[in-house]
Amino acid sequence: MYQQQSQSILSEEDWATTVLCDLKRVVREYATAATESTCPDIRQLFTKLLNNSLAMQGQLFQAMQQCNMYQPASPALKQELEKQAKQNKQTQQKTQQMLQQKLGGQPQTMYTPMHQQPQHAQPNHQPYYM
């Protein structure tokens, strides 16, 4: 009798990484569901699911780290962080300057209250309903 051994296409490390990524996603979704729930019982349910998922994610992470399957990112150098912060600040300043030019010096806000919006002559339109 011929027996066929089933071989996985993915390695154990790939499987573990896939499950870890899914657990991270589930944690985010449970956290969102818990914070947006208006029913105390449902909020409590999602909070329990969140805590269980966090525990599983932590256990899997530790097991992967012990087996050298997961290497956390190396700490960033302070110099690199400061360089990136400076670049982001320059980009923000350029964006603000461009907005000032395009908006003609108006305040740099995405929201302008109705009473502060410019009043333009409105053509006399008939309402769509009668």
Side-chain angles (χ1 to χ4, degrees):
M1 184 187 263
Y2 175 75
Q3 281 188 318
Q4 180 180 4
Q5 288 185 340
S6 63
Q7 291 184 0
S8 176
I9 296 173
L10 297 175
S11 67
E12 283 185 9
E13 182 176 351
D14 291 336
W15 276 112
T17 300
T18 300
V19 172
L20 185 66
C21 289
D22 281 345
L23 284 169
K24 289 177 182 180
R25 179 188 52 79
V26 167
V27 163
R28 285 190 305 268
E29 291 176 8
Y30 284 155
T32 299
T35 57
E36 293 182 0
S37 177
T38 58
C39 174
D41 292 337
I42 299 297
R43 183 181 178 92
Q44 184 179 17
L45 171 68
F46 280 120
T47 301
K48 285 180 182 179
L49 291 168
L50 171 64
N51 290 335
N52 289 340
S53 298
L54 282 169
M56 284 188 284
Q57 186 273 336
Q59 291 169 352
L60 180 57
F61 166 76
Q62 287 177 350
M64 289 177 69
Q65 198 171 29
Q66 288 172 356
C67 295
N68 293 322
M69 292 182 180
Y70 190 99
Q71 300 300 322
S74 60
L77 297 173
K78 184 178 180 183
Q79 212 173 18
E80 287 298 317
L81 292 174
E82 289 172 351
K83 179 182 174 185
Q84 188 64 47
K86 184 178 178 181
Q87 288 175 345
N88 290 344
K89 185 70 173 171
Q90 290 172 347
T91 301
Q92 180 186 13
Q93 289 171 346
K94 289 178 183 178
T95 303
Q96 286 176 343
Q97 289 171 355
M98 183 205 56
L99 284 173
Q100 283 180 337
Q101 290 172 353
K102 299 289 182 188
L103 297 175
Q106 292 180 358
Q108 301 163 7
T109 178
M110 297 301 286
Y111 169 75
T112 304
M114 288 296 290
H115 69 277
Q116 292 180 358
Q117 290 182 359
Q119 299 296 320
H120 299 288
Q122 298 289 329
N124 190 5
H125 290 290
Q126 292 296 323
Y128 294 108
Y129 56 92
M130 297 218 173

